[in-house]
Amino acid sequence: MFPFKSKKPPVPVMGRDEALALAPVASRDVDVQLTAAGLVRLSVPVSVRPALAGLARRFGVWDGRVLRKTVELDAVGTFVWQHIDGRATVGEIAAALAARYSLNTDEARLAVAEFLRQLGRRGAVGFAAPAGRGNEEASGGRGG
């Protein structure tokens, strides 16, 4: 009789087809720049934990301004970012990627889904029902 219960694996909130039907939307807080090579550079605000912020202020190493993290995307990331317009779904972006780079459709879906998941964790994108297909907003993307 072990007193601790094993954790159950998380139940997915939505299925794969539902996730592919969402449209990624760029966050208003993201600054976008084009590099000389034509790649995209994103500047994303970084949240600071309150306890760390208090310590940093107390020791004079932080003045309370918003901290930002810069991420430079490669050619594939730039291609995907340029297709994020709030109307194109994840599935449509993956299909465009597969056509552009001669990839297997499933490989492109996995690559786009993982890339968008990482951008969502950083707060660079959120997801919504595509324009004209419904009004309900889905995941904000922040977390973990």
Side-chain angles (χ1 to χ4, degrees):
M1 300 239 301
F2 199 66
F4 302 106
K5 293 182 181 178
S6 63
K7 289 185 179 180
K8 295 179 182 176
V11 177
V13 177
M14 65 178 63
R16 185 179 82 165
D17 292 337
E18 293 169 317
L20 289 173
L22 295 176
V25 180
S27 172
R28 289 177 264 181
D29 297 332
V30 175
D31 292 331
V32 181
Q33 298 175 340
L34 280 177
T35 65
L39 302 176
V40 170
R41 182 179 297 138
L42 305 176
S43 177
V44 183
V46 177
S47 61
V48 179
R49 292 191 174 141
L52 293 177
L55 280 174
R57 280 193 193 124
R58 196 167 305 146
F59 289 112
V61 292
W62 186 47
D63 59 2
R65 285 187 282 164
V66 174
L67 300 175
R68 301 187 76 82
K69 181 171 185 166
T70 302
V71 178
E72 190 166 320
L73 305 179
D74 62 4
V76 175
T78 296
F79 179 85
V80 172
W81 182 264
Q82 290 172 340
H83 282 78
I84 296 175
D85 60 3
R87 293 184 307 262
T89 66
V90 176
E92 292 167 351
I93 294 171
L97 182 73
R100 170 72 168 86
Y101 289 98
S102 301
L103 298 173
N104 177 314
T105 306
D106 289 335
E107 289 175 353
R109 284 181 184 161
L110 287 172
V112 169
E114 182 57 31
F115 176 69
L116 292 174
R117 187 176 298 119
Q118 289 176 7
L119 288 178
R121 285 188 182 130
R122 292 182 176 171
V125 296
F127 298 91
R133 299 182 197 178
N135 286 1
E136 44 214 75
E137 186 137 337
S139 163
R142 292 193 190 248

